Amino acid sequence: MQVLATARLRLRTLTLGDAAVYLKVVNTPLFLRWIGDRQIRTEAQARDALAVGPLTMQSMRGYSLYLVERSSDGAAIGMCGLIKRESLDDVDLGYAYLPEYAGQGYATEAAIGVLAHARALGIARVVAITSPGNDASDAVLRRAGMRFEKRVYLTPDDPGTQLFSIALD
């Protein structure tokens, strides 16, 4: 189901049929470096991860990560959406893209669209987290209107995670 559209992109709910692209995204070098290794190596594992992650969150909360498709040709280029993590008080903006689509403004365009969608859902505040040194992701968040708020520690061994936020009310 399409959730939103921007000038160049369509964002829709993920399905089990998106396992192949999900598998690619979570195993890109940048995903592994900045987000972490989810130990997803097969399409079957990707389907399982989709079922217990985005599909369940969409069903329970009415939002989740969405598949980002380029409108011009329908190419699946990554994911962007809203996540409710137990480690954060607020709804989190999350995204990850295939490397061949980097540097074209798609991440910022999708993030701005997702933040407008969050506002329409009545969400008053959205946060996002990045690892220190992930300058490209920090730039996306800043261009989408988010501001660095503070460093947080999400786990006992977390060396520090950057928290960005935006008020939508």
Side-chain angles (χ1 to χ4, degrees):
M1 173 181 81
Q2 183 169 311
V3 175
L4 67 103
T6 67
R8 300 180 298 161
L9 305 171
R10 288 187 307 261
L11 281 74
R12 66 167 175 79
T13 52
L14 286 155
T15 69
L16 295 178
D18 297 316
V21 70
Y22 187 84
L23 178 65
K24 281 186 200 175
V25 170
V26 301
N27 284 292
T28 64
L30 290 176
F31 190 100
L32 295 170
R33 177 178 181 188
W34 296 119
I35 300 172
D37 189 349
R38 300 290 191 250
Q39 299 295 313
I40 298 169
R41 302 290 185 258
T42 67
E43 283 193 31
Q45 290 172 326
R47 277 190 297 279
D48 291 345
L50 283 166
V52 300
L55 277 64
T56 296
M57 186 169 294
Q58 183 68 38
S59 175
M60 291 177 60
R61 296 191 175 270
Y63 57 79
S64 65
L65 281 174
Y66 306 119
L67 186 73
V68 180
E69 299 172 320
R70 196 166 47 189
S71 299
S72 63
D73 61 3
I77 67 170
M79 301 177 292
C80 183
L82 301 167
I83 305 163
K84 182 58 188 98
R85 301 176 197 271
E86 289 186 25
S87 58
L88 295 172
D89 292 335
D90 298 291
V91 175
D92 175 34
L93 171 69
Y95 50 88
Y97 292 88
L98 294 169
E100 57 265 36
Y101 300 103
Q104 300 175 54
Y106 294 133
T108 300
E109 185 174 330
I112 290 168
V114 167
L115 290 172
H117 177 63
R119 181 179 288 115
L121 292 174
I123 298 170
R125 175 179 147 93
V126 174
V127 299
I129 53 175
T130 65
S131 298
N134 189 349
D135 297 336
S137 194
D138 294 353
V140 166
L141 297 174
R142 291 180 196 283
R143 285 191 300 267
M146 300 186 85
R147 298 289 175 249
F148 174 78
E149 186 173 306
K150 63 184 175 181
R151 187 170 283 212
V152 295
Y153 302 88
L154 302 176
T155 64
D157 60 337
D158 184 354
T161 298
Q162 298 178 136
L163 181 79
F164 289 76
S165 66
I166 188 169
L168 300 176
D169 51 1

